[in-house]
Amino acid sequence: MAGDGQASTSNAFSFISKGWREVKDSADADLQLMKDRANSFKNLATSFDRELENLFNSATAIRSSSSLSRPTEIDFVKKLQPKLVEIRRAYSSPDFSKKVLEKWTPRSTIRIDLSAIKNAIVSEVEGREGMAEFDRIRRRRSLKFSEFWGEWKRDGDDEEKQSGRDWEPIRVLKTRLKEFEKREFLGGFKNSEFVEKVKSSLKSVYKDSQESQAVPPLDAAELLASLVRQSEPFLDQLGIRKDVCEKLVESLYSKRKNYFLLNSPSSGESSVLEGENVNDELDLRIASVLQSTGHSYDGGFWTDHAKHDPSDQKRHVAIVTTASLPWMTGTAVNPLFRAAYLAQTAKQNVTLLVPWLCASDQELVYPSNITFTSPEEQEIYIRNWLEERIGFKADFKISFYPGKFSKERRSILPAGDTSQFIPSKEADIAILEEPEHLNWYHHGRRWTDKFNHVVGVVHTNYLEYIKREKNGALQAFFVKHINNWVTRAYCDKVLRLSAATQDLPKSVICNVHGVNPKFLKIGEKVAAEKETGERTFSKGAYFLGKMVWAKGYRELIDLLAKHKSDLDGFKVDVYGNGEDANEVQSTAKSLDLNLNFLKGRDHADDSLHGYKVFINPSVSDVLCTATAEALAMGKFVVCADHPSNQFFRSFPNCLTYETSEDFVAKVKEAMENDPQPLTPEQRFNLSWEAATQRFMEYSEMDKVLDTEKNGARSSRGKGKGVSKSASMPSLSGMVDGGLAFAHYCLTGNEFLRLCTGATPGTRDYDKQHCKDLRLLPPQVENPIYGW
C-alpha cells in the first residue's frame, strides 16, 4: 500500500509538471509580447523626443542666422515648447513600462511559487472548509497567492462568471487541476502520507495565526500593582507587613484579571491563569507585554554576570555552616548529615565549609578538653564520627574558614570574607546554614553574585533568645530588621524549619532535617523486643539539652514547681552541660524539685535507651533534634503545643499540651501506657533520605539542577513560553542589590562593627589563622563591587 501511494504521488506530480510547463510557456509568450509592445512604444517616444530636439535646434539656428524668417513660425514654436517638454517627461519616465504592464496584465508583478500550487492542491482536496482555512492562511504570507492565481472565486459567484475574470494561463491550469482530480489514482493520492503531512502543517500554521494576537498594553491598575509588589522589600524594611502589600496587589489586579478571563479568546489561556497566584499572573502579564515589544532584559544595576558556568560539567554544592564537631550543636551536626546524603546521590560534588578556631577558642568551645593542632586532624575526627553513624563512606570535601568565638553571643562568628574559601570554579550552589548569623558582619563578595543559587536554612530562633536578655525587646527589634536585611540581600531562597522563627523574605516552612540512622536502628530494636514480649523500657522520664535557661530549663522548673503535689513521686533525670548549669541546679534545689542532674552525653548512649518518656517543655527551639531522636527510638515525647513541634504532631507517640494542667495529664498518660511502634512510613519521614528529598523540593534545587542541565532557566508560565527573568526587570532585585551594597559599606567600618556587637578583628582573619590555615595575609583593599 505504501508503494502504491508513492507511485500515485509520483504520477500526480508528473501530471502537474506537464500542465505547469504549458502554463509557463503561455505566460512567457504573453509577457514577451507585452514587453515588446512597451519597448516599441518607448522607442517611439524616444525617437519623437530626438526629432523634437532637432526641431528646437533648427528653429534656433534659423532665428539667429536669417533675418528673413517669419515671426509667426518662431512664435508657434515658443508656444509649442512647454507642451512638448511635458509630453517628453511623461513618456521618457522609467516607470512608463511599468504603467504599461499594469494596463495590459492582471498584475504588475508575476512571481511563480510552486509551494502555492501545492497548497492549492491540498485546499481543493479538503473542500470548501479547507479552502476557507487556506484563504485565511495565505492572507498573512508576504507572498500573496493572488499575485499568481489572479482573482480567486468569490462566495456566491458561479463557475462560468468566475472563469471569465480569470487570466488565460490560470484558467488553463484550473481546468487541468479539475481533470487531475477526476482521475482514478486521486483517491490514493488523497490518502497518501504527503497529503496528511501537508494538512497537519496547514493546521499548525492556522493555530499559530489564531494565537499570535496583539497583547493589550498595561493599564494604570496593573502598573500600580506591579509597583507595590516590586516595592515589597523596601516597604518591609519600613515596617509594612507583607500580607498588607499582597492584599493591595490582589485588589488592584483582580479587576484586570476578571476582564481578561471574560474576554479571553480561548479557553486554554483562561485555564492557564486559573492555577496561578496573583504574583505569577502579574509577572507573566508584564513579561508578555515586554516580550511583545521586543524588549530584552539583560540584568539589573547590581547584577554580576561573571558567575560559574555549570554547562557540560558536574554541579557543585557548597554547604557553609557556623559550627563544627566536636561541638555537639545543631548547626554542627545537621549540615554534616546534609552534606553526606547530598553527596550520596553522586549527582553533584559537595563541599562542607566549617569554621576553624584557634587553640584559645577551641578550649572555650569544644567539650572534654578536645583540641586540634591542624585542620587535617579535625577533619579526620569529623569523618570518623560521621561514618560510625551513617554506615557508609561519605564522598564529600571538608574545607575550613577562619572563625572566632564570641563569649557574649555564645557562638562562632566568621572572620573575613567567607565566600572566598569556595573557589570560583566550584561556586555553583550555596547552602547557608543560619544565613542571618553568617551575614551579620559579612564584609565581602555578595553570595548571590558569586553563586548561581543560594539557599538559606534557618536553625535558630534568635529573637526568642534576645528577648530574654537585658533590654531584650529593643535588641530584638533591631535584630529582626537586620535579619530581614541580610537574608534578603544574600539569599535566593530561605527555608525555615518551623513557624517558630521570624517570617523572613523569600522563605517557606519545611523540616529539612532528619535523624541519625543510629536512632532509627534503636527504634527497630525496641519494636522487635516488644513483639517477643521482652520488657523494652526500664526507666521513667528524662530531659536532655545544653544547660542554659533558654533551652527549656526555665519552663521545666516552673511546671514542676507549680504542680509539685500533682506529680508527687514523679522524677526526671536531666542530662546536660552549659554556662547556666550551677544556677539551674541551685534553683531546682531551692524549690526542692525531684530533678536528678547528670553530665551531658550523646543521645544515642546506651544508658539512655531504657527511658520511656522524653520531657521537652522548651518553646525557644526551632525544631528540637532531641525530640526527633526520641521519637525515632520509639519513646513517648511530652512537648508544648508550639509551632516548633508542628512536624511531630502527626506521630502518635508525641503528646502535646497547651496548659500546665494539660502537661500533668500528658505526663501521667505517658507513664501509664506503652508507646506504639513506628510504621515504615513514619520511620522514613524521620530519616535523612526523606529530609533530603524535602530539601531538594522546597529549596528549588531540583528545578535549578534540571533547568541548568537542559540549558534553560525554569519558567513558572506553565506552558505559556514566557520567561520572566529574561524579559522583565525586577525592582525587588534592584532593592536587594542596593541593600547588599549598603551592608557592604557599613560592615567595612570597624567602629560601626564594634558598636553593633561584632568581635574585634573579625573584618579580616588574623596572623594565627594565616598560620593554621596556610593563608596569605588579607589584602588591605578588596574591591568587591567595582566602584
Side-chain angles (χ1 to χ4, degrees), residues 503-732:
D503 187 9
L504 293 168
K506 309 174 185 177
S507 67
V508 294
I509 297 173
C510 180
N511 174 23
V512 293
H513 286 176
V515 299
N516 186 335
K518 194 171 184 179
F519 294 102
L520 293 172
K521 292 180 180 179
I522 295 172
E524 293 174 359
K525 181 181 177 182
V526 169
E529 291 176 351
K530 186 175 182 179
E531 289 182 358
T532 59
E534 298 181 25
R535 186 180 179 185
T536 55
F537 300 109
S538 58
K539 300 179 182 179
Y542 74 107
F543 177 63
L544 179 143
K546 186 177 180 181
M547 198 167 293
V548 292
W549 285 114
K551 282 293 185 179
Y553 287 90
R554 172 62 65 188
E555 290 80 2
L556 178 62
I557 289 177
D558 290 344
L559 286 170
L560 295 179
K562 183 176 181 179
H563 297 280
K564 186 177 180 180
S565 59
D566 297 328
L567 295 172
D568 186 26
F570 177 67
K571 177 183 176 182
V572 179
D573 292 337
V574 179
Y575 294 86
N577 302 317
E579 295 84 352
D580 298 333
N582 293 331
E583 187 177 351
V584 170
Q585 294 179 24
S586 61
T587 302
K589 186 176 180 180
S590 65
L591 295 173
D592 192 22
L593 300 179
N594 200 0
L595 294 176
N596 182 28
F597 291 95
L598 302 168
K599 290 185 178 181
R601 61 192 66 183
D602 193 328
H603 203 177
D605 192 271
D606 293 340
S607 62
L608 301 178
H609 294 180
Y611 287 100
K612 184 172 69 171
V613 182
F614 176 70
I615 306 293
N616 182 19
S618 174
V619 292
S620 62
D621 288 320
V622 172
L623 185 83
C624 185
T625 303
T627 298
E629 293 168 348
L631 288 173
M633 289 189 287
K635 304 178 186 297
F636 272 125
V637 172
V638 178
C639 58
D641 186 6
H642 188 261
S644 61
N645 297 317
Q646 179 65 38
F647 177 78
F648 305 122
R649 290 177 183 171
S650 61
F651 294 86
N653 293 336
C654 180
L655 307 177
T656 60
Y657 63 89
E658 297 181 0
T659 63
S660 61
E661 291 76 14
D662 196 18
F663 169 76
V664 175
K666 298 299 182 182
V667 168
K668 291 181 178 181
E669 178 184 349
M671 296 299 294
E672 294 171 358
N673 299 282
D674 289 333
Q676 300 179 22
L678 295 178
T679 65
E681 181 182 0
Q682 291 168 350
R683 284 196 296 269
F684 177 76
N685 289 337
L686 289 170
S687 69
W688 267 104
E689 288 85 357
T692 303
Q693 291 180 9
R694 294 192 297 266
F695 177 82
M696 295 293 291
E697 177 183 356
Y698 282 84
S699 68
E700 299 182 355
M701 267 186 59
D702 53 351
K703 294 181 181 179
V704 173
L705 294 174
D706 291 341
T707 53
E708 293 291 350
K709 181 178 178 181
N710 296 330
R713 294 194 176 276
S714 64
S715 173
R716 297 169 68 184
K718 297 184 179 181
K720 297 191 75 173
V722 178
S723 177
K724 294 183 290 185
S725 60
S727 61
M728 186 179 66
S730 174
L731 179 59
S732 62

Side-chain angles (χ1 to χ4, degrees), residues 115-181:
S115 63
I117 298 177
K118 182 173 66 176
N119 294 338
I121 295 172
V122 177
S123 66
E124 290 281 1
V125 171
E126 290 191 324
R128 293 196 61 84
E129 182 179 354
M131 183 63 224
E133 180 179 344
F134 179 78
D135 189 53
R136 285 192 295 271
I137 297 170
R138 67 184 181 87
R139 290 196 187 100
R140 57 191 298 268
R141 300 294 186 184
S142 59
L143 174 62
K144 301 296 185 180
F145 190 73
S146 59
E147 293 178 359
F148 166 76
W149 195 257
E151 293 294 329
W152 188 255
K153 182 184 291 185
R154 296 180 175 84
D155 295 339
D157 289 352
D158 56 23
E159 186 174 351
E160 294 181 359
K161 292 182 180 180
Q162 180 62 33
S163 61
R165 288 195 295 268
D166 289 337
W167 188 29
E168 181 61 27
I170 306 306
R171 188 164 56 252
V172 173
L173 180 60
K174 282 186 177 182
T175 303
R176 290 192 174 276
L177 285 175
K178 291 181 179 180
E179 293 177 357
F180 167 73
E181 186 178 5

